[in-house]
Amino acid sequence: AAIGIVVCGDDTKSDVWVEDCSIASIVVQLIAQSLGLGSCWIQIRKRDHSTHKTAEEYIQELLGLPMNMKVESIISIGYPAEIKKPIPLEKLEFEKIRHNTFVEKE
């Protein structure tokens, strides 16, 4: 990918930084799509880089981020190598949809 956007939140300033960063990540992906670009969400939070270091610690060290700057994701952006076709309508599992309740239909 030509661009990687590291999405971070300051956990000393917000108790909902995970949610805020998730929304920001998705908005970045939507904007990329609207520009004809492809994107991929790379999950960082709660992932391992190696047996002795988390992915977040690795990115914090690599970019010189302070410990309070928590890394949620990296959004890679570039020109897509292929355009995937949507799943055909007849293959969608509409029986999994519930209306107003989770209770299974009888």
Side-chain angles (χ1 to χ4, degrees):
I3 298 172
I5 298 174
V6 179
V7 183
C8 307
D10 185 340
D11 72 346
T12 65
K13 295 185 179 180
S14 175
D15 64 338
V16 293
W17 71 268
V18 173
E19 292 83 354
D20 291 343
C21 288
S22 296
I23 292 166
S25 296
I26 291 172
V27 169
V28 166
Q29 289 190 285
L30 290 171
I31 291 170
Q33 178 73 29
S34 74
L35 296 172
L37 299 169
S39 68
C40 181
W41 178 309
I42 303 165
Q43 182 65 25
I44 300 299
R45 191 177 68 86
K46 297 201 175 204
R47 296 294 179 261
D48 290 329
H49 170 70
S50 64
T51 56
H52 62 279
K53 189 179 291 190
T54 67
E56 181 176 56
E57 290 168 339
Y58 176 78
I59 297 298
Q60 286 170 326
E61 289 175 17
L62 182 70
L63 300 179
L65 300 173
M67 294 304 291
N68 60 301
M69 289 303 290
K70 303 300 181 184
V71 183
E72 171 69 16
S73 64
I74 299 173
I75 306 299
S76 63
I77 299 173
Y79 291 101
E82 62 180 311
I83 304 294
K84 301 239 180 203
K85 293 185 179 189
I87 296 172
L89 191 61
E90 59 274 3
K91 289 194 175 190
L92 294 178
E93 300 177 28
F94 289 106
E95 67 276 3
K96 291 185 177 181
I97 297 174
R98 304 286 185 267
H99 297 279
N100 299 323
T101 183
F102 186 75
V103 178
E104 300 260 348
K105 297 176 187 173
E106 295 182 25

